[in-house]
Amino acid sequence: MCDHHKETFRINTPDFNKLNKQLGRRDFLTKTSMGIGALALSSLLGNKLFSNATTEEEILKAIPHFAPKAKRVVYLFMAGGPSQFETFDYKPVLEKLRGQNLPDSVRNGQRLTGMSSGQALLPVVPSAFKFNQHGESRTWISELLPYTAKVVDELCIIRSIHSEAINHDPAITFLQTGNQLPGRPSIGSWLSYGLGSDNENLPTFIVLVSKDASKDQPLYARLWGNGFLPSEYQGVQFRSGKDPVLFLNNPEGYDGADRKEMLEYLSKLNQLQNNTYGDPEIDARIAQYEMAFRMQTSVPDVIDVKDEPDEIFDLYGPGSRDSGTYAANCLLARKLLEKDVKFVQLYHQGWDHHGSLPAGMPKQCLSIDQATGALITDLKRRGLLEDTLVIWGGEFGRTVYSQGKLTPADYGRDHHPRCFTMWMAGAGVKPGISFGETDDFSYNIVKDPVHVHDFQATLLHLMGIDHERLTYKFQGRRFRLTDVEGKVVKDILTNA
Amino acid sequence: MKLLDIFTFSGHLHPLIVHLPIGFILLATLFNLLSYAKRFSYLKQAVPITLLAGFMAAVLACIFGYLLSLKGDYDTDALSKHKLSGISLAAIAGLLYFTTTKFFLKEIPLPRPLFSLLLTGLVVLMSYSGHQGASLTHGSDYLTMQVLLHQERMKPSRVEDALLFEDVIQPILQNKCVQCHRDGKSKGDLSLETLEDILKGGKSGPAIVPGKPDSSELIRRILLDEDHKDFMPADGKPPLTKNELQLIQLWATEGKADSSLIAQYLGIDITENIISVSVSVDTSLLDNLRKTGFQVRLMQLQPLMLDVTLPAGSGVKAALIKPVIHPLAKHIVWLNLSGNDFTNDDLDFLPALINLEKLRLDKNPVTDKISDQLMELKHLEAVNLNETNITAAAIDQLKKNTAIKRVYSWNNKGLP
């Protein structure tokens, strides 16, 4: 089979060359503009193509900007906006104020979403769930998160994150890409672009979406998209099922022996196109084919959990044997981190509790709590928490007042971007602390506010990147993840 | 006082205009001298008009120069010399031009050699005046033998040799402040050239009060809002960056505005703590590591810090890795040899990794003796010995190295 591939390059014939030389006006313009583009590019790259400087030296000049604390990140994204009142932001005062209208002095004319702005009353509602103190830090944590509470001394809980967007799509896009409008590269893409890969057999940026969550708010591939960065930096989504990557196994009756040869030939064809048109997307395509080939050997190994002892499945909880669930994804994330995948992002939907929160929230917490705690425990004992950064959080918080009717047994909470809780753990962040404070209504921040851009700047800082210096020029402007803002939150970083 | 603003603006044009008479007069002199040669004799006709242009430009330069002198805090002595020579220059250029006009030629014909001599003398006068002017802008030592013979302080190659003032603060001041605040052009009577000058200060008192940033005029002004009239650097010159601001503040407060060694000021015991590695490294050494099968991550450039990983199950033999690790031993800060079948003997190079902070030896058949090799590593913080053959004895011994903060020993047969 495929013997003809061995002959010299078929397409490199006089006929082809002739065809290639018959340039039309469009071709001419495309080519020449590409040529000018290539010149500009080479000057941007410090004349890498024409000078003797090695790639190594180029890298040495550029990044990292300082010694990183973290080598990899796992970001547990709770899509929908988990309520801070039922998880990490303990507000005992609210019990006394139950049912009272939210004082204007607190709200201060801040905007509400269209879903509750029409309400005649904004009745304050305390959490339906109890809080207890945990760990050496005596941190208050809701009874809904018993396993997270066990590892609280590893967490750096930030109660004062605030965002600019009030609805899901802009808010999640803002958190993931630094802008409310789609089109910018996601955090993971910036990291892969800036830092490259530590394991060339696996994608640098892997996305896992849990299948056991209610899909109330949609996720979009652009949340892990590359924006204007070359497309090899986009997140690679693993499917939530038995086969996280399709077509890795050879079809029946095919032994795959000549696949490498086929890919080499394809790569030559692509290279030829690249020489003609100079489109960087062709480079990305070549890189992706090569990655796909290497994944054929690396991925089956990493997704295979049959060698994991029962103890591990017990730790991560019952869902962990069913691939694609949040628990199984946490386990898979640990395996990927073990292989030095730089950025693993898990998405778990279903946190949008506009109504029936007392019924919805326990289910939701139950589905993530044990595996989240297990992930921390597992990373820690393997010595991986040492250089892994774990992040947990949603795109905004929830309101102190009930959306819809407040009854003794039921309430709901609307979107609230002005303060919400996220936590970080692992490399470079102080363990066992709480940072930032909200007022008694968890409505406004009273101490140490952390803007979304500050959070992003801190994340990049931990990975050794100065957020002001990692830029990409596109359409005449230099873009960066934190746009024109962002301050590294130094107070949550470990000193050494 | 709208008019004054136009004056100031025109004054700022002086450094631009002043090059016109220089060019014209040089050209006139050149034409004049060349015209003695036969093949360039036709250039003689061009001399008067070039000289006229030089004269007019010189007058213009004088006017603008005067306007500039009203505003700048210039050294009066050099200024008066420059002013006088400049005006003379314009006057003589004018007179010389008039000797070429028809009227003069008829009444008092000037012998040609004399004219040439005078014109050449004009160039000498112009050079003198130009030098004075340059001294005003760039300092009297700008173009002197001292500069030619000046010896730069060697830039320190190691952090511990760096001086706080000379190597950190002074370059910032040189870059952003000294153009206006120096001997010969000390705006506000302030020079920021030397440490003594800075402590002496200017009109508004000392620029820096050691240990008291709040009463230090320099710090007050560089921290002001850019629109504030006292903000420095004034006149839209490039402001100090965030980092520069922080450094100056630190130096004035913590360092008490002195010029001691950075290491002293940070309270660091040089011999013990500072990583003494050279700034750069031969990149081929990194390539060797990669060729052997290592994944090499650059953690920091200066000093070079490396995170080196041998992928689990690589099958690379210890005999191969030692020669590539050794030349980079000081640079390796994180090392991961997890899952590679290495024994204690294979790892006898570990004591050479004096800057190692994190070490992963998990899933290797190492035994208790491995702890001997880690005792001397003063920076080692975390050791991963999961799934090895160590027992509690190794952990007890590792505790004696006080630098080690975390030892991972999960899933060891010899341990509970």
Side-chain angles (χ1 to χ4, degrees):
Chain A
M1 189 178 168
C2 300
D3 267 348
H4 49 273
H5 285 175
K6 284 185 181 123
E7 71 191 60
T8 46
F9 224 33
R10 278 175 302 150
I11 216 155
N12 215 354
T13 61
D15 281 349
F16 179 79
N17 286 337
K18 193 176 155 208
L19 187 74
N20 211 13
K21 277 175 188 155
Q22 287 169 345
L23 291 175
R25 177 181 50 90
R26 260 162 213 273
D27 298 323
F28 175 76
L29 287 174
T30 313
K31 277 192 166 185
T32 44
S33 63
M34 280 298 176
I36 294 163
L39 276 177
L41 185 72
S42 71
S43 73
L44 275 179
L45 294 171
N47 255 337
K48 195 162 87 181
L49 298 172
F50 309 109
S51 75
N52 292 326
T54 62
T55 323
E56 197 71 61
E57 280 157 353
E58 294 300 327
I59 297 169
L60 279 169
K61 271 186 226 152
I63 270 182
H65 301 129
F66 33 77
K69 290 284 174 13
K71 190 169 177 176
R72 34 193 127 65
V73 183
V74 50
Y75 190 157
L76 312 170
F77 201 105
M78 303 297 120
S83 163
Q84 71 273 31
F85 294 94
E86 277 75 20
T87 50
F88 295 100
D89 208 4
Y90 182 42
K91 294 295 168 196
V93 183
L94 295 182
E95 204 55 60
K96 279 181 245 157
L97 302 168
R98 172 188 287 275
Q100 292 183 22
N101 199 29
L102 176 69
D104 282 347
S105 60
V106 174
R107 187 186 145 195
N108 233 337
Q110 287 154 15
R111 68 174 169 167
L112 306 178
T113 74
M115 292 170 281
S116 57
S117 59
Q119 277 181 224
L121 271 182
L122 299 172
V124 164
V125 49
S127 166
F129 305 98
K130 285 195 194 68
F131 274 68
N132 292 302
Q133 283 178 297
H134 295 272
E136 276 179 34
S137 50
R138 309 308 298 149
T139 308
W140 290 97
I141 290 191
S142 149
E143 60 180 342
L144 296 179
L145 297 169
Y147 287 91
T148 308
K150 276 190 208 164
V151 294
V152 69
D153 283 335
E154 301 298 331
L155 311 185
C156 167
I157 299 172
I158 309 169
R159 299 207 178 98
S160 54
I161 301 260
H162 59 107
S163 177
E164 290 163 16
I166 199 168
N167 275 317
H168 295 284
D169 182 14
I172 196 167
T173 310
F174 186 50
L175 218 103
Q176 296 281 275
T177 71
N179 197 296
Q180 297 188 39
L181 301 175
R184 302 283 175 88
S186 55
I187 299 172
S189 293
W190 277 115
L191 284 177
S192 352
Y193 166 68
L195 297 173
S197 162
D198 290 327
N199 179 346
E200 55 186 27
N201 296 326
L202 285 168
T204 316
F205 174 16
I206 293 178
V207 175
L208 306 167
V209 179
S210 50
K211 68 173 184 188
D212 56 339
S214 88
K215 310 277 190 258
D216 53 355
Q217 293 299 330
L219 294 170
Y220 321 86
R222 60 172 144 85
L223 297 175
W224 48 91
N226 54 299
F228 39 71
L229 296 175
S231 45
E232 61 204 273
Y233 302 116
Q234 69 187 298
V236 173
Q237 187 192 351
F238 280 14
R239 302 169 76 250
S240 350
K242 204 137 197 67
D243 234 353
V245 182
L246 290 178
F247 313 122
L248 278 185
N249 302 321
N250 292 324
E252 226 172 298
Y254 174 65
D255 65 355
D258 58 357
R259 183 172 279 134
K260 178 83 191 142
E261 201 188 325
M262 184 272 282
L263 282 169
E264 267 166 22
Y265 187 75
L266 186 62
S267 169
K268 275 190 202 166
L269 283 176
N270 279 326
Q271 198 60 54
L272 196 80
Q273 283 286 312
N274 198 17
N275 296 342
T276 312
Y277 295 106
D279 184 351
E281 277 304 297
I282 300 175
D283 287 330
R285 175 61 61 93
I286 295 171
Q288 280 159 339
Y289 274 124
E290 284 172 0
M291 171 57 71
F293 179 72
R294 291 194 298 269
M295 278 168 68
Q296 287 200 308
T297 46
S298 61
V299 168
D301 174 46
V302 75
I303 59 177
D304 181 14
V305 289
K306 69 173 184 290
D307 286 343
E308 296 286 331
D310 284 347
E311 179 221 359
I312 289 288
F313 293 112
D314 294 346
L315 180 71
Y316 281 85
S320 59
R321 287 180 196 273
D322 178 10
S323 52
T325 62
Y326 179 83
N329 281 347
C330 279
L331 177 55
L332 179 54
R334 187 219 82 207
K335 291 184 61 112
L336 292 169
L337 295 169
E338 246 178 339
K339 300 275 180 198
D340 281 341
V341 171
K342 189 152 275 145
F343 194 77
V344 183
Q345 183 140 20
L346 271 73
Y347 289 91
H348 190 76
Q349 294 154 284
W351 294 91
D352 195 21
H353 298 111
H354 287 281
S356 320
L357 189 144
M361 198 68 182
K363 268 190 226 158
Q364 198 66 20
C365 288
L366 188 69
S367 63
I368 63 123
D369 179 44
Q370 185 175 357
T372 307
L375 181 62
I376 299 273
T377 310
D378 202 14
L379 288 175
K380 186 174 161 73
R381 67 186 182 185
R382 282 170 201 271
L384 283 170
L385 200 57
E386 192 73 49
D387 45 13
T388 306
L389 177 67
V390 189
I391 301 165
W392 180 97
E395 69 264 38
F396 43 53
R398 313 299 302 190
T399 53
V400 63
Y401 61 82
S402 174
Q403 178 180 351
K405 206 167 170 233
L406 170 63
T407 69
D410 199 21
Y411 59 90
R413 295 190 191 273
D414 201 357
H415 308 166
H416 187 61
R418 303 192 58 93
C419 59
F420 58 107
T421 303
M422 289 177 70
W423 57 253
M424 293 168 122
V429 288
K430 287 180 186 161
I433 67 158
S434 297
F435 186 77
E437 277 171 33
T438 54
D439 61 11
D440 285 340
F441 298 85
S442 191
Y443 202 93
N444 300 295
I445 296 165
V446 294
K447 197 181 160 204
D448 298 327
V450 178
H451 188 262
V452 166
H453 282 314
D454 301 338
F455 157 72
Q456 290 162 341
T458 311
L459 199 170
L460 293 186
H461 177 90
L462 286 162
M463 294 297 282
I465 295 175
D466 178 349
H467 69 104
E468 291 184 10
R469 283 166 65 192
L470 181 63
T471 58
Y472 189 86
K473 198 170 176 189
F474 175 66
Q475 289 184 346
R477 196 199 130 173
R478 282 185 180 79
F479 286 90
R480 61 180 221 227
L481 174 62
T482 50
D483 199 7
V484 295
E485 297 170 69
K487 270 194 189 126
V488 175
V489 188
K490 294 234 164 87
D491 291 337
I492 65 164
L493 305 180
T494 53
N495 297 318
Chain B
M1 294 289 275
K2 279 267 151 65
L3 206 58
L4 252 184
D5 284 341
I6 296 166
F7 283 0
T8 312
F9 178 78
S10 314
H12 287 179
L13 284 175
H14 174 71
L16 176 78
I17 300 293
V18 83
H19 294 95
L20 289 175
I22 296 177
F24 283 131
I25 289 172
L26 275 177
L27 200 63
T29 316
L30 186 72
F31 284 173
N32 179 258
L33 293 177
L34 281 175
S35 67
Y36 283 98
K38 218 174 210 154
R39 50 184 295 220
F40 293 118
S41 59
Y42 59 90
L43 281 174
K44 190 163 175 274
Q45 298 167 2
V47 174
I49 182 70
T50 319
L51 195 54
L52 177 65
F55 163 66
M56 295 197 318
V59 171
L60 213 57
C62 283
I63 295 169
F64 286 168
Y66 175 70
L67 294 175
L68 182 65
S69 74
L70 292 179
K71 196 201 163 233
D73 296 322
Y74 295 105
D75 184 57
T76 40
D77 185 41
L79 183 65
S80 68
K81 279 184 195 161
H82 179 57
K83 202 194 287 179
L84 205 66
S85 54
I87 294 170
S88 323
L89 180 76
I92 295 170
L95 282 175
L96 276 178
Y97 167 68
F98 283 116
T99 64
T100 63
T101 54
K102 267 184 194 157
F103 173 76
F104 257 88
L105 285 173
K106 213 186 281 172
E107 299 293 320
I108 335 165
L110 209 58
R112 199 177 171 201
L114 183 61
F115 177 80
S116 301
L117 195 68
L118 286 172
L119 197 54
T120 315
L122 191 63
V123 172
V124 176
L125 179 63
M126 190 170 69
S127 311
Y128 172 75
S129 182
H131 176 67
Q132 292 299 336
S135 303
L136 285 173
T137 341
H138 303 292
S140 56
D141 56 351
Y142 189 67
L143 202 64
T144 57
M145 282 307 277
Q146 280 163 326
V147 175
L148 190 65
L149 302 173
H150 176 71
Q151 285 180 326
E152 275 279 314
R153 203 178 95 76
M154 283 279 283
K155 283 276 164 223
S157 58
R158 305 184 316 159
V159 178
E160 50 264 51
D161 297 333
L163 291 169
L164 186 55
F165 180 72
E166 282 80 353
D167 293 317
V168 181
I169 304 303
Q170 205 166 27
I172 300 174
L173 300 177
Q174 278 294 348
N175 219 349
K176 301 273 168 82
C177 317
V178 163
Q179 206 198 356
C180 298
H181 297 291
R182 59 176 162 68
D183 292 342
K185 188 187 176 184
S186 43
K187 297 214 172 187
D189 282 339
L190 174 68
S191 165
L192 294 174
E193 281 193 289
T194 66
L195 193 53
E196 291 135 50
D197 289 340
I198 294 167
L199 297 175
K200 198 180 85 198
K203 255 187 222 164
S204 323
I208 296 283
V209 183
K212 289 183 189 157
D214 297 338
S215 29
S216 300
E217 188 66 14
L218 185 146
I219 290 182
R220 183 182 80 85
R221 288 188 178 229
I222 58 180
L223 287 178
L224 282 172
D225 196 77
E226 276 194 46
D227 300 327
H228 197 283
K229 68 177 168 52
D230 286 349
F231 176 76
M232 282 290 153
D235 299 339
K237 296 198 175 85
L240 287 96
T241 66
K242 266 187 283 175
N243 283 345
E244 289 171 341
L245 288 173
Q246 282 174 350
L247 282 167
I248 292 181
Q249 280 175 282
L250 266 167
W251 161 73
T253 350
E254 311 282 324
K256 311 276 187 234
D258 62 6
S259 84
S260 55
L261 285 169
I262 287 177
Q264 254 167 24
Y265 142 73
L266 291 171
I268 298 172
D269 182 349
I270 291 167
T271 49
E272 278 289 309
N273 283 312
I274 287 197
I275 298 173
S276 57
V277 291
S278 57
V279 168
S280 61
V281 73
D282 184 359
T283 49
S284 68
L285 292 175
L286 301 180
D287 292 337
N288 287 347
L289 264 184
R290 293 211 168 96
K291 272 182 224 146
T292 316
F294 282 97
Q295 284 158 9
V296 182
R297 190 171 67 115
L298 305 162
M299 294 180 71
Q300 184 170 295
L301 179 52
Q302 288 180 332
L304 183 70
M305 290 161 71
L306 300 175
D307 168 19
V308 176
T309 300
L310 189 62
S314 67
V316 179
K317 292 274 174 295
L320 278 174
I321 70 167
K322 283 180 206 174
V324 292
I325 289 238
H326 256 295
L328 290 164
K330 284 178 177 173
H331 298 278
I332 297 173
V333 183
W334 292 6
L335 177 64
N336 178 0
L337 297 174
S338 162
N340 271 299
D341 254 347
F342 288 141
T343 64
N344 296 0
D345 292 341
D346 292 336
L347 300 169
D348 58 0
F349 59 86
L350 289 176
L353 307 178
I354 54 168
N355 289 313
L356 196 62
E357 281 177 8
K358 292 183 185 181
L359 173 64
R360 285 185 61 184
L361 295 176
D362 45 317
K363 299 173 196 160
N364 282 298
V366 294
T367 60
D368 285 355
K369 280 254 176 248
I370 193 71
S371 51
D372 295 344
Q373 298 176 25
L374 308 178
M375 292 320 286
E376 296 306 314
L377 298 176
K378 292 267 184 281
H379 298 282
L380 190 60
E381 258 180 47
V383 189
N384 192 329
L385 293 169
N386 287 343
E387 299 174 67
T388 57
N389 299 328
I390 62 152
T391 68
I395 294 171
D396 281 341
Q397 201 197 342
L398 284 173
K399 274 182 192 156
K400 288 179 198 147
N401 182 344
T402 49
I404 299 179
K405 295 194 183 89
R406 294 173 295 276
V407 177
Y408 298 97
S409 59
W410 176 66
N411 239 357
N412 277 314
K413 285 168 210 127
L415 280 158

